[in-house]
Each structure stands twice: as structure tokens, then as C-alpha cells.
Amino acid sequence: MQAICSSFSGLRLSPAAPRAQGAGRRELAVQASVQAPAVDLPVRKLDGSEAGSSSIALRVADPETSNGLVHRYLVHVQRNARQGNASTMTRGEVRGGGRKPYKQKGSGNARRGSKRSPLMPGGGISFGPKPRDWSASMNKKERKLACATALHSAAGDMLVCADFSDMAEVKTATLLGALSAMGVDAKNEKVLLIVNEPNQNVYLSGRNVPTLAINTSHAVQVYDVLNADRIVVEQSALAYLNEWFSQQA
């Protein structure tokens, strides 16, 4: 999977055709996204047999800005996940310190005016954390474009499977067996399973597998996409992804 770097150069501004002299300042054309070429994906049935092929073709970020855009979206998600409730007490908030601990001179110790000093056990904390809001804003069009870019960059590790709607029992071995038959080792690889609709049986069967993440096509998480070694997508979910992420932002 393509590595995500930490640089962000913004949208590329390319000069349009120059106008005649005296017509004023020339215009700038903003190129924010491009239609990526289709990538063929193998299709497997739940028993592992081949069922043809499919393709994924999404509208992705411009190559010059894609890394920075996806990185900014990942930072946005991680910042918004922080609770920001860490809190410490300063020397003005801890208890005690009403009297001088010991006399000013003659004890051989340093001069102390209060036992609430940060230098003493039980005293306040200097420059400690206080509750704060870590959230960062990012508009919907950018988030959509960044998620599409991350998905398309992971197409080489993607596999399409038949829908799990016929899975009638809640059993981890059944889910892992179906993935193994398709050549996906969910025990030793980090796997992302994208289903089209919430499936209670699939969720209950896979929630106790630490290396397996389950997303719906309507709520694909960019962190799970970037973190996964293999991505398994239901056929109906792939159709939704192609339709939603191919629309012009």
C-alpha cells in the first residue's frame, strides 16, 4: 500500500491560457480530483471458487496532493477520537500549604514557603495537561476525496467476494473459514471486511478477532483502510463504492 507522507502542498493551481493585454489578472484553474483508471479485482465465492472479475474506478485526489490530503484526513480522525479530559492540579488547586513547612533558617534545607510547591511530594504540577478540545475541522468534500484516494491506492490488496447475507449462524470459525478459502488469513494478517449493509451475524462472528475490522460501505473508516494488509469487499458494497466515490465532489 502506498505510504502516506506528512507533507501537504494544497491543491495544485495551474495557470489558464493567458488573456489579451489589458484584460486584467489571469485566471487560475483549480484541479482538485481526477478520475482514476479502472483496476481489475478478482471475485471469489464464499467457498473460495472463482466467480469472474470486477473493477474499481474512483475519483481520487490529484497525484501531487493525494499523500498530503490522506494524511490530513487521518490526523483529523485521530484528533477527533481524543477525549481531551486529562487534567492535573496546579499548586493553587492542591490541598494544604497554609503554613510554612519549617523555619526559614537553621534547618539546613532549602527555603520553603508552602508544601504545595511542585518541588515537593504532594504538591502541584507545573505545566500539566488540562481538559481541551483536540478536534480538527475538515470539509466533507475533502474527506470524501481522501477516503476514495486511500481505497484506490489499496486496490492491489483488495478482493471481491459474494455477499455474506446467507450466513445463517453466528460462528467465528465459519467466518474465518470463508476468508481462508478465499486466500485471506485473518489470524496472521490485518483484514478489513467491507459489507454493504449491517449484518449482525457477521459482526458477532468477527468482533472477537483482533486483526479483523468490519466496516459498512456507507461508513468506510480511512484508518482501517490504511491499516489493513488485505481488504475484502462484498460485490454489492463494491457497486456502492464505485457509485458514491466516482461522483464529482
Side-chain angles (χ1 to χ4, degrees), residues 36-60:
V39 178
D40 292 333
L41 303 174
V43 180
R44 298 283 189 272
K45 295 181 180 179
L46 297 184
D47 58 1
S49 59
E50 298 183 359
S53 63
S54 186
S55 63
I56 182 171
L58 310 179
R59 179 166 291 276
V60 300

Side-chain angles (χ1 to χ4, degrees), residues 1-220:
M1 188 180 298
Q2 182 182 5
I4 303 303
C5 69
S6 60
S7 60
F8 177 72
S9 56
L11 300 179
R12 179 163 60 90
L13 302 179
S14 58
R19 294 183 291 182
Q21 293 183 357
R25 184 167 45 187
R26 64 180 182 176
E27 297 178 352
L28 295 177
V30 179
Q31 300 179 358
S33 62
V34 295
Q35 182 65 38
V39 178
D40 292 333
L41 303 174
V43 180
R44 298 283 189 272
K45 295 181 180 179
L46 297 184
D47 58 1
S49 59
E50 298 183 359
S53 63
S54 186
S55 63
I56 182 171
L58 310 179
R59 179 166 291 276
V60 300
D62 187 88
E64 292 188 8
T65 63
S66 58
N67 284 355
L69 183 64
V70 175
H71 174 263
R72 193 153 61 90
Y73 185 28
L74 180 61
V75 172
H76 163 81
V77 171
Q78 292 177 327
R79 284 176 62 99
N80 289 359
R82 298 187 66 170
Q83 293 182 339
N85 56 1
S87 180
T88 55
M89 292 189 292
T90 65
R91 63 181 298 164
E93 296 171 329
V94 296
R95 295 183 60 186
R99 65 179 178 85
K100 192 174 178 66
Y102 45 80
K103 63 181 182 178
Q104 181 79 350
K105 296 179 179 294
S107 67
N109 296 316
R111 294 170 290 188
R112 303 290 186 188
S114 172
K115 66 179 183 180
R116 295 188 296 183
S117 169
L119 303 179
M120 298 189 68
I125 302 297
S126 296
F127 310 109
K130 286 291 185 181
R132 59 172 293 184
D133 182 13
W134 287 96
S135 62
S137 62
M138 189 175 183
N139 66 56
K140 293 181 180 179
K141 293 181 180 179
E142 288 181 313
R143 297 199 302 267
K144 178 179 178 180
L145 193 59
C147 191
T149 303
L151 278 171
H152 199 275
S153 68
D157 303 318
M158 195 173 294
L159 173 71
V160 182
C161 70
D163 290 3
F164 282 89
S165 56
D166 296 334
M167 186 173 177
E169 60 178 348
V170 178
K171 194 171 184 180
T172 303
T174 301
L175 178 60
L176 294 181
L179 294 175
S180 179
M182 292 182 283
V184 179
D185 185 6
K187 293 183 179 180
N188 300 315
E189 294 179 311
K190 290 179 287 188
V191 180
L192 170 61
L193 175 60
I194 302 178
V195 297
N196 190 44
E197 298 292 342
N199 190 320
Q200 190 73 358
N201 291 342
V202 173
Y203 168 71
L204 294 177
S205 299
R207 66 178 177 177
N208 62 334
V209 181
T211 56
L212 177 63
I214 302 174
N215 291 174
T216 63
S217 58
H218 304 271
V220 177

